[in-house]
Structures are given as structure tokens and as C-alpha cells.
Amino acid sequence: MGFTRAELESFRDTVVPDLIGDGCRLLFVGINPGLWTAATGAHFARPGNRFYPALLRAGILTRAVDPTSGLGEADTAHLLERGIGITNLAPRATARADELTTDELRAGPERLGEVVTRWHPRVVAVAGITAYRAAFGRRKAVSGAQEETIVGVPLWVVPNPSGLNAHDTVDSLAEAYAAPARAAGILAQ
């Protein structure tokens, strides 16, 4: 499945629903939906995004998931059964995360707090150090477990799986994602 530039543009500013269910143990937090995600309704759906391959490599998922045409019922069920949830700091779809306003990013922690309060994940993992720094006002934050929590839930920062983050590989992403998955009880310590 492919989209023309005009088709993708028609999804600008679309809000993509969170993918979270009862029993969420690890809530991944993207920056905001991309246009491909908005077009398919599946988080991290753009071809070349390494999110799902990294989850599989880490053992967080037990089978491959291909979201490029949207998530089917079986893929959605697999994510939820594994205790994975997905939301975003900013809900508005854009072509690039740098199109978000500073105010949109700064509203992210409050929005995230509401999501965490509703679903009670064991661990929250924000995918993207730059977005985390901007949203949470932590200019010197580093990746990994954070000292602060979100509504009492442990907070981690992990690398963004976008192809624009070229210095990370599926293997390095898998390693980074495995740490909060262990903390959430999805992977063995």
C-alpha cells in the first residue's frame, strides 16, 4: 500500500487514537503521529520505521507485526496481550515532529499524565530524547530510566525509532527497549 504526497497531506492534523488496553504494562510514547500513521491508523506505521522490528528483536513481541497498511485485529490483539500500549506527547499528525509548536510539546506531560492515570501502566517509555527534553523541560536529560515519574509511574527515555534517527539500528533500539520492558515485567530480569 502506498500513498501519494497529496493523499498523505490530507491526513495533516488528524488525531490518531491511542492503542492501549487493560493490562497495559509498558506504555510507549511517541512524539506525535506522522502522516502515514494518520493515514493507516497504526502507530509507527511508516515504511522503514524500526519500532516493531526492534520490539520483535528484543523479545517484547513474539511474532512480526507489519503496520504499514494498518494494524489488523490479530496484530492489535498481540500488542495488547503482550501488555504494550502506544500514545503520543502531541496527538496532532504532522509530516515531521519539528512542525509541532513548543506549546504542543509542553502540553504533552499533562496529556500523558491523564493517559497514565486512566490505564495504570507499570512503566512509561518516551521515544525521543529531544522531544522529552522539550516537553518535560529537562534540557540535560539522558536516555534511560529517569529520576522523575509520571503520576508515580517509572519514566524512561528510549531512542526514537524513526529512520531520521540514523545512528540507531534495530539492534541498538532492541537493547534500549528491552530495559523498560524488563522493568515492566514483560521480559525476564
Side-chain angles (χ1 to χ4, degrees):
M1 174 188 225
F3 298 101
T4 66
R5 183 176 298 251
E7 287 171 331
L8 287 174
E9 272 302 317
S10 74
F11 289 95
R12 183 175 290 281
D13 300 326
T14 297
V15 173
V16 177
D18 295 337
L19 185 139
I20 310 172
D22 292 330
C24 179
R25 293 186 278 173
L26 176 54
L27 179 63
F28 281 99
V29 183
I31 300 166
N32 74 307
L35 298 180
W36 197 287
T37 286
T40 62
H43 295 272
F44 300 106
R46 185 171 186 80
N49 190 297
R50 296 155 308 161
F51 181 72
Y52 296 99
L55 293 182
L56 181 62
R57 182 80 47 91
I60 296 167
L61 296 180
T62 59
R63 64 174 184 75
V65 169
D66 180 2
T68 55
S69 297
L71 287 176
E73 287 182 29
D75 287 340
T76 298
H78 183 60
L79 287 160
L80 297 176
E81 287 165 5
R82 296 294 296 160
I84 302 300
I86 306 172
T87 189
N88 289 288
L89 288 171
R92 180 175 71 91
T94 61
R96 294 176 51 103
D98 62 9
E99 295 175 34
L100 295 172
T101 67
T102 301
D103 288 342
E104 284 177 293
L105 280 175
R106 287 191 180 144
E110 182 177 338
R111 179 185 182 287
L112 183 56
E114 292 168 2
V115 171
V116 170
T117 297
R118 177 173 181 205
W119 293 103
H120 308 288
R122 292 181 188 170
V123 173
V124 173
V126 177
I129 187 69
T130 302
Y132 174 80
R133 288 173 178 159
F136 286 80
R138 305 284 187 259
R139 293 184 310 184
K140 296 182 181 184
V142 296
S143 293
Q146 302 302 299
E147 290 182 16
E148 72 182 308
T149 63
I150 184 94
V151 195
V153 174
L155 185 60
W156 289 67
V157 177
V158 296
N160 189 310
S162 167
L164 298 175
N165 184 9
H167 64 274
D168 273 298
T169 65
V170 169
D171 287 335
S172 67
L173 291 169
E175 184 177 332
Y177 297 172
R182 281 191 291 278
I186 292 172
L187 297 177
Q189 296 287 336

